[in-house]
Amino acid sequence: MIRTRVLRRWRWRWIAALALSPVLVASVVVGIAYGKGGWYAVNVMLRRGANVWGDVSPDDSRLSPGIRLSLAGRRTPDTPEPVRWHQVATGLEVAELPVRVGGQPVDALLLSRIDPAHYRFRVLNRPAGDRDVGDWMAATGASLVVNGSYYSRHGHPDTPVVSDGHRLGPASYQATHGAFVADGSGGPGSARLVDLAGLDWRRAIDGTSQAMVSYPMLLGADGHGRAEGTDERWLANRSFLGQDGAGRIIVGTTRDAYFSLPSLAAFLPRAGLDLRLALNLDGGPVACQKVSAGGYRRDFCGRYELAVHGGRLQLLWPLVDFRRSALPMALVAVPR
């Protein structure tokens, strides 16, 4: 009995110490985060405050009007207006394309169009998760930064990647969608999208200095997307890459989360972008695009990701919404 009372006394002393020591509590939390995802998890927690999935209803006030409209089945936007490109530097143009349903705005595509003759691309990975879109721009001298493809809970690429000539990501991988590749030469086709349907991804990225496999293909070489089968209720801010008829690379990020992957794949051929191929990148709060050139500035990161887990509609929500998401994977365009 004496031993039991002593143990209880020490237990309550530890509880009191934890309650009275924010530093100790923070150290324990950081230790738990590090055990789950290494330095990436620690930095995400410190910079973003961590994210959690919470149940929502289709008409929840936390959802944007565009999301609620999409959940109600209104997934076919009006015919879009002509895209109005604005040149901000030689080889770099920007535009914003409104998306409307029944005449009401529900989303917009934040667009950048890049001529590879004037810009070189780099595919970059920083597993520590200590850089956001602005940090990447400052570190690389880029005029454009967009989030890249998918990554693991430790911040490493989940798909095959070539970064400055170094192969990253899984060595064994099944890829049937697409890849972005660049060789840095600045010549025709020096940066391009590749449809991997019937093509081994190793052949597509061999000999390239920069490459990134991603999915799904929103517009393939056959003129069709391959996003079918994805739950229409999976709604998120989206980022994508496109290649137009002149060989320019188009970077797009949605301002809201109206689009599911199938509805975005259906919309892009109608968007007036002269797209030949289009490839989805990672989405949700990591869907970020920053442009800084010729006095023009765009600085955007997503807010929404909605999905169905175990039959329940859930929204990804930051516990502390004070910083934008870290980007372990980034694609940057640097002036030549």
Side-chain angles (χ1 to χ4, degrees):
M1 291 297 294
I2 294 175
R3 182 182 179 186
T4 300
R5 286 196 296 271
V6 170
L7 289 174
R8 287 175 178 171
R9 190 180 304 122
W10 276 105
R11 182 183 67 185
W12 286 111
R13 286 179 179 176
W14 274 108
I15 293 173
L18 287 172
L20 295 174
S21 176
V23 174
L24 182 58
V25 172
S27 299
V28 171
V29 172
V30 167
I32 293 172
Y34 182 82
K36 289 183 175 294
W39 285 115
Y40 171 72
V42 172
N43 281 316
V44 166
M45 181 188 66
L46 293 177
R47 296 172 68 90
R48 179 69 177 171
N51 293 319
V52 295
W53 290 100
D55 292 352
V56 292
S57 63
D59 58 354
D60 194 295
S61 61
R62 289 174 293 177
L63 305 179
S64 71
I67 293 177
R68 296 198 294 268
L69 196 67
S70 183
L71 289 174
R74 301 283 300 279
R75 301 189 180 105
T76 303
D78 302 344
T79 300
E81 64 187 45
V83 181
R84 295 176 175 85
W85 292 104
H86 172 58
Q87 181 173 301
V88 296
T90 301
L92 176 57
E93 300 166 277
V94 297
E96 182 167 342
L97 180 62
V99 179
R100 296 184 174 90
V101 174
Q104 299 301 312
V106 296
D107 210 331
L109 302 188
L110 305 177
L111 300 167
S112 298
R113 187 164 68 179
I114 305 169
D115 185 347
H118 296 281
Y119 285 84
R120 60 186 180 90
F121 291 89
R122 297 176 66 194
V123 176
L124 301 171
N125 171 236
R126 193 171 175 89
D130 56 354
R131 285 182 181 171
D132 62 22
V133 63
D135 298 326
W136 278 116
M137 181 167 281
T140 61
S143 295
L144 176 141
V145 179
V146 67
N147 64 287
S149 186
Y150 304 93
Y151 53 90
S152 72
R153 67 176 183 173
H154 289 86
H156 296 284
D158 252 352
T159 67
V161 163
V162 179
S163 177
D164 294 341
H166 300 287
R167 181 76 67 84
L168 305 175
S172 178
Y173 189 81
Q174 295 293 322
T176 60
H177 287 273
F180 170 82
V181 299
D183 61 22
S185 68
S190 59
R192 63 193 185 279
L193 294 180
V194 180
D195 190 336
L196 295 177
L199 177 66
D200 190 322
W201 62 266
R202 296 170 186 83
R203 289 183 55 196
I205 72 174
D206 280 348
T208 64
S209 60
Q210 315 290 333
M212 176 173 57
V213 173
S214 193
Y215 59 88
M217 205 71 184
L218 298 171
L219 180 63
D222 62 357
H224 300 285
R226 296 200 290 277
E228 66 278 357
T230 306
D231 196 321
E232 290 277 12
R233 296 168 295 177
W234 179 23
L235 304 173
N237 291 96
R238 308 283 182 193
S239 285
F240 65 90
L241 299 178
Q243 180 179 321
D244 70 9
R248 293 167 295 195
I249 300 301
I250 293 178
V251 177
T253 303
T254 64
R255 186 175 288 282
D256 209 304
Y258 167 77
F259 287 107
S260 66
L261 287 171
S263 64
L264 180 60
F267 179 75
L268 287 179
R270 304 170 50 221
L273 301 174
D274 189 30
L275 290 176
R276 300 299 189 265
L277 298 168
L279 178 65
N280 184 65
L281 300 175
D282 203 355
V286 300
C288 296
Q289 185 184 148
K290 185 176 177 71
V291 180
S292 179
Y296 175 83
R297 302 291 183 269
R298 171 188 287 159
D299 192 352
F300 176 81
C301 279
R303 176 182 177 185
Y304 293 108
E305 183 162 6
L306 184 75
V308 177
H309 299 133
R312 294 152 56 193
L313 191 64
Q314 294 192 315
L315 178 68
L316 187 64
W317 202 254
L319 289 177
V320 182
D321 193 11
F322 58 89
R323 288 292 300 273
R324 57 185 53 193
S325 292
L327 300 184
M329 294 295 304
L331 175 67
V332 306
V334 184
R336 293 188 183 278

